[in-house]
Amino acid sequence: MLRLEPRPEASRLMSYLSPLLAAVLTLMAGMAVFSMLGKDPVEGLRLFLLNPVKDLYGVSELLLKATPLMLCAIGLAVGFRANIWNIGAEGQFMLGTVGATGVALYFQESDSSLILPTMVFAGALAGAAWAAIPALLKTRFNANEILVSLMLVYVAQLFVSWLVFGPWKDPDGFNFPQTAMFGDHALLPVLVEGTRLHFGFLIALTALLAGYAFMNRSYTGFKMRVAGEAADAARYAGFSANRMIWIGLLTGGAAAGIAGMCEVAGPMGQLTDKVSLGYGFAAIIVAFVGRLNPVGILFASLLMALLYIGGEQVQQYMNLPSSISLVFQGLLLFFLLGSDVFIHYRLKFGRATA
């Protein structure tokens, strides 16, 4: 008889193998999905995984798509390590786009070199301010930060829609819900000529380095890790739970806000009601696939970006709906959660002892 048996201690090996196992199972399940849809599974995986990176432009698009995922995920990882569950990075991302767009539109006629740094600051501040709402409600009234941060996503979506349909709507935009295009001074410089990859990618890499230093080399990061792994020990040591909540949520909000700034100041060049493609939600998967580790988040972001672009490829060449990428994201999360069971349990043959 096959049964699950608790391990004496968590398996460090399985904690690293679990994401790889989940990725392999996702590919296998993906082949089954293509088969059920009447498509060639080998061709489907080729279009999904290899076609997007067949040339330099494709690789640059992969890095471009991974940029907001890296930024959102590293901010979330800081809080997740301390068991602070910020599920609202999507809303904080959108508020970041609003803060950055406000600066770009206000200084529409300016050519100052300070516009972009101001947009970065405004995006981070707006995202952090949005995350401060669940932080305040959690520390003052013990409100559940998962529910509050998630519900605020829909408020943020409606706020962005109100702006682009109302006061910020471009009068010369043929009645489309969008702002005026940003001036050149408010756009991030392109890194590789002939591509759309911009300076935001370097900002994301810097954020990963900063996240590594904070989580693994700082005293505050140590306290947050202790709070997540041994809450009783953290309380006994006198670590402030409220301070951990504020740091975890504000860091996640600021990082998501910067990601939003990079999106509107990069490939979009304006704010629209379709500003986000679900980066904030996808970043939750990225953070856990990456084991809340900056290096893991880097590779998990590339994988998730590949799922986004691969979905567009099979939509174009195999006439499948664009939501196929969401199916793969869901499969990845499902198999990751299933594989994580084996970090604390192992399979054993035989009859359970009384």
Side-chain angles (χ1 to χ4, degrees), residues 5-20:
E5 179 183 83
R7 296 180 184 271
E9 60 182 24
S11 171
R12 187 176 181 86
L13 176 63
M14 272 307 302
S15 69
Y16 292 111
L17 290 181
S18 176
L20 299 177

Side-chain angles (χ1 to χ4, degrees), residues 311-327:
E312 297 170 358
Q313 294 286 309
V314 296
Q315 179 188 16
Q316 178 180 354
Y317 292 105
M318 301 186 79
N319 198 30
L320 291 176
S322 59
S323 56
I324 189 71
S325 63
L326 297 178
V327 173

Side-chain angles (χ1 to χ4, degrees), residues 1 6 8-9 15 122 124 139 144 177 186 199 203 208 214 225 256 260 268 319 321 331:
M1 180 180 177
E9 60 182 24
S15 69
T139 54
N144 188 299
F199 192 78
I203 295 176
L208 289 178
F214 176 78
R225 190 163 65 252
M268 296 186 67
N319 198 30
L331 287 171

Side-chain angles (χ1 to χ4, degrees), residues 43 59 163:
E43 177 65 10
V59 173
L163 287 173

Side-chain angles (χ1 to χ4, degrees), residues 67-81 203-216 248 251-256 283-284 286-287 292-298 301:
T67 294
L69 294 171
M70 289 183 207
L71 283 165
C72 291
I74 190 63
L76 292 176
V78 172
F80 289 172
R81 280 200 173 193
I203 295 176
L205 292 180
T206 302
L208 289 178
L209 291 173
Y212 176 84
F214 176 78
M215 289 188 285
N216 298 289
T251 301
I284 299 172
V286 169
L292 307 183
N293 180 285
V295 176
I297 286 172
L298 171 62
S301 297

